[in-house]
Amino acid sequence: MATAKKKTSSKKPKTGGTKIEFVSAPSHTITPFLMFNANTEEAAKFYVSIFKKSKIIQASPMRAEFILNGQKFYAYNGGPEFQFNWGVSFMISLETQKEVDYYWNALLADGGKESMCGWLQDKYGLWWQVTPKILIQLISHKDPSKAERAMQAMLKMQKIDIAALQLAVR
């Protein structure tokens, strides 16, 4: 079976000097397609303002195409019958508590809602999991008692607290 070669194209940096690089892939690539109730252009601008390696490719009140941390998204304004639910969410894998705090606060800004276990819903209704990598490591620890203690600690949290997780497994 032949493998497709990825092409790399450099994009000009957005304001602020961040270089955006999008790696294209074969035509069967999966791209998230978000159907918003309204405010598609506003939502795209909101997300691009949060994620550092991001860029709006094109945006209007009806549709937007943008890149967040190298992942392309399409968005359309479909009307009030379109609502997001937490059956589909976007997980942000992070290293530090500072990063967790940043994304948690930024995505909750202006009307988002906290949920449990690192989940939140932003002001546009989209669901996010703000997840430090250590959480996944600890809840899948080879020692079942440590994994269980990490899981029980996580279940009591809204925003994930890395120090509290580490303390729970000691």
Side-chain angles (χ1 to χ4, degrees):
M1 174 184 238
T3 56
K5 292 183 180 180
K6 292 185 179 181
K7 295 179 183 177
T8 303
S9 64
S10 296
K11 301 289 182 182
K12 292 184 179 181
K14 72 175 187 173
T15 306
T18 302
K19 183 178 178 182
I20 304 296
E21 190 172 298
F22 177 72
V23 178
S24 64
S27 61
H28 61 274
T29 296
I30 297 171
T31 301
F33 185 98
L34 306 172
M35 192 69 87
F36 286 86
N37 174 15
N39 304 316
T40 303
E41 183 176 23
E42 181 183 307
K45 289 177 181 177
F46 175 71
Y47 299 129
V48 166
S49 75
I50 293 170
F51 292 87
K52 291 167 182 55
K53 295 181 180 178
S54 301
K55 176 181 180 178
I56 291 179
I57 298 168
Q58 54 183 295
S60 71
M62 284 302 295
R63 68 184 195 91
E65 183 178 353
F66 53 98
I67 297 170
L68 302 179
N69 284 2
Q71 172 66 53
K72 186 182 273 190
F73 289 80
Y74 287 102
Y76 274 76
N77 178 3
E81 65 272 16
F82 292 97
Q83 300 291 319
F84 298 114
N85 66 58
W86 67 340
V88 175
S89 63
F90 295 99
M91 185 169 78
I92 310 165
S93 296
L94 305 164
E95 297 290 338
T96 68
Q97 189 66 49
K98 184 177 178 180
E99 291 172 312
V100 169
D101 295 345
Y102 168 78
Y103 285 104
W104 187 263
N105 294 329
L107 288 165
L108 284 173
D110 301 323
K113 298 175 190 166
E114 293 183 342
S115 190
M116 53 192 234
C117 306
W119 291 60
L120 64 84
Q121 185 179 36
D122 70 32
K123 65 182 176 179
Y124 299 103
L126 200 56
W127 285 89
W128 298 87
Q129 295 178 59
V130 182
T131 310
K133 291 178 183 178
I134 193 164
L135 170 64
I136 304 303
Q137 294 167 358
L138 292 175
I139 65 174
S140 57
H141 198 282
K142 65 182 179 182
D143 178 340
S145 65
K146 286 186 177 187
E148 180 61 24
R149 289 195 308 271
M151 179 68 75
Q152 290 307 312
M154 178 201 63
L155 289 172
K156 295 174 185 162
M157 298 177 186
Q158 287 183 309
K159 178 176 68 174
I160 301 300
D161 180 335
I162 293 173
L165 284 173
Q166 292 171 323
L167 187 62
V169 298
R170 288 188 180 151

